[in-house]
Amino acid sequence: MTDTIENVIIIGSGPAGYTAALYTARANLNPLVIEGFAWGGLLQQTTEVENYPGFREGIMGPALMQEMRDQAERFGSRFITDMATKVELADEPGGVHKVWVDEDELHLARTVILAMGAEHKKLGVPGEEELGGRGVSYCATCDAAFFKDAETVIVGGGDSAMEEAIFLSKFAKRVDIVHRRDEFRASKIMLDRARAIDNIVFKTPFVVEAFEAREGDKLPTARLRNVETGAEELLANVGTFIAIGHEPQSSSSPGRSTATTRATSSRRAARRGPTARACSRPATSSTTRTARRSPPPAPAVSPRWTRSGTCATPRRCRRRPGCPTATWPRRSGRPGRLMAAYRR
């Protein structure tokens, strides 16, 4: 355990983490970055990046992340190439937060920035890891230009899969959308746009069983299986893009403690404000600057419901007439939650 209290600890080392490190370092906050073992984020798995401003000839993904890291380090950022295992936030505003590296190394900080990012969901089939970046990709926007006039496959059935297929169709000779059901989760407008493109073909109900590298082919072979009949089909020499969503890295690392959950809940409750009472002034009343400073006295009669607002408490209240807790939903002609609770 260290007795030094850091100004800022940043957990994560993708573009977001290194950008946070750069800005806090230039503000003389001397940030400490816990970057993990696989530093650099998803761009470490990308080949040539051509759509990042400032590099007109393009730049390799790992080289870009090295440039970001070096730039943050130049202004005083410090790095720990290890995993953050637990975060315990302070209960009180302005308190000291705790971050553990491994299980026994404790760091204290006044501010913690979580920038773990997300990771592409994977199919988990044989050959996927081995052929990643060599015919199996997760970003058509990044890699579509490398598959010009090639036959390609999109795996997925949501809006992101349709967007990937539409973009990829501008480069590839053919795009097969492989989905395990005949129905798609994508919105109707995205589905119609994809179906209107001639070189996009829908292949259902199929799932990918494996990716295989075959001698003489530049791209892998995708082995598919029909989920209804069990029949297998091979798509040889195809580039595959997997678009089945993302998984936020904050869900698994670092783990949050009970104190963290309690502190977060209390802060959210503070932001929402009091929920036991609504405005004591009818929402239809006219408001002037003087009226806002000196609210009218409490009503002598019981609270009443009107079509445009409610007065659910006899107490004095300095909230404005537009208070969102006066009635919900507003202008709906129905009593709000607070008024219904009062009547019970």
Side-chain angles (χ1 to χ4, degrees):
M1 175 178 175
T2 176
D3 295 331
T4 304
I5 300 179
E6 306 285 350
N7 290 317
V8 180
I9 289 181
I10 300 168
I11 304 175
S13 60
Y18 288 150
T19 301
L22 173 63
Y23 274 78
T24 52
R26 292 187 73 249
N28 291 326
L29 294 177
N30 196 27
L32 176 64
V33 182
I34 303 175
E35 58 181 356
F37 295 113
W39 63 269
L42 292 176
L43 279 178
Q44 287 283 26
Q45 306 172 17
T46 306
T47 53
E48 190 172 4
V49 179
E50 298 179 328
N51 58 352
Y52 193 84
F55 299 92
R56 62 178 183 179
E57 301 298 331
I59 184 173
M60 300 297 288
L64 176 60
M65 296 316 302
Q66 186 66 59
E67 290 285 343
M68 289 187 180
R69 190 181 191 276
D70 293 344
Q71 186 179 13
E73 189 175 23
R74 173 194 167 199
F75 290 99
S77 298
R78 295 164 295 138
F79 299 92
I80 295 178
T81 308
D82 208 333
M83 300 298 295
T85 55
K86 189 168 110 175
V87 174
E88 183 178 311
L89 301 183
D91 290 330
E92 299 296 330
V96 177
H97 312 296
K98 300 178 181 179
V99 179
W100 277 266
V101 175
D102 286 334
E103 296 297 335
D104 53 355
E105 185 178 342
L106 174 61
H107 296 269
L108 307 178
R110 303 191 186 280
T111 302
V112 175
I113 299 176
L114 303 181
M116 283 86 74
E119 184 180 13
H120 295 289
K121 286 185 179 179
K122 298 182 179 180
L123 296 174
V125 299
E128 181 180 9
E129 291 286 345
E130 295 80 359
L131 296 170
R134 294 185 295 165
V136 177
S137 177
Y138 300 87
C139 178
T141 306
C142 309
D143 299 335
F146 300 109
F147 296 86
K148 189 173 180 63
D149 297 328
E151 294 188 355
T152 57
V153 171
I154 296 285
V155 182
D159 279 349
S160 59
M162 299 303 133
E163 290 178 6
E164 298 273 273
I166 292 170
F167 185 84
L168 186 59
S169 66
K170 302 174 183 178
F171 300 88
K173 179 170 65 176
R174 174 187 169 106
V175 180
D176 285 316
I177 298 180
V178 175
H179 189 47
R180 64 182 181 273
R181 294 190 300 266
D182 292 329
E183 300 81 18
F184 291 86
R185 292 178 290 106
S187 58
K188 185 177 184 302
I189 186 170
M190 294 301 300
L191 204 55
D192 291 342
R193 287 177 183 175
R195 283 175 172 158
I197 299 176
D198 294 335
N199 62 338
I200 294 181
V201 179
F202 289 84
K203 202 169 191 62
T204 60
F206 283 88
V207 294
V208 177
E209 288 286 289
F211 296 103
E212 303 169 356
R214 299 200 171 186
E215 188 176 354
D217 291 341
K218 295 182 179 180
L219 298 173
T221 293
R223 180 152 51 89
L224 309 182
R225 177 178 59 84
N226 190 307
V227 297
E228 295 179 353
T229 65
E232 290 193 351
E233 182 176 341
L234 297 179
L235 297 180
N237 200 27
V238 295
T240 303
F241 292 84
I242 299 171
I244 56 175
H246 295 81
E247 290 180 335
Q249 294 300 290
S250 57
S251 62
S252 57
S253 173
R256 285 189 171 190
S257 66
T258 305
T260 300
T261 307
R262 184 172 63 252
T264 304
S265 301
S266 63
R267 281 193 294 274
R268 286 177 180 169
R271 285 198 299 267
R272 285 196 298 266
T275 56
R277 61 188 180 93
C279 279
S280 60
R281 184 164 57 248
T284 54
S285 63
S286 60
T287 306
T288 62
R289 187 177 300 274
T290 304
R292 284 198 298 269
R293 291 177 181 171
S294 302
V301 295
S302 0
R304 60 188 178 85
W305 152 253
T306 66
R307 190 172 180 82
S308 58
T310 65
C311 176
T313 174
R315 299 180 183 178
R316 290 164 101 44
C317 177
R318 285 187 167 81
R319 292 182 181 271
R320 297 185 179 182
C323 170
T325 61
T327 180
W328 185 89
R330 293 186 62 79
R331 301 192 185 96
S332 64
R334 300 191 304 274
R337 291 179 295 183
L338 294 174
M339 196 61 192
Y342 178 84
R343 287 178 175 174
R344 287 198 297 269

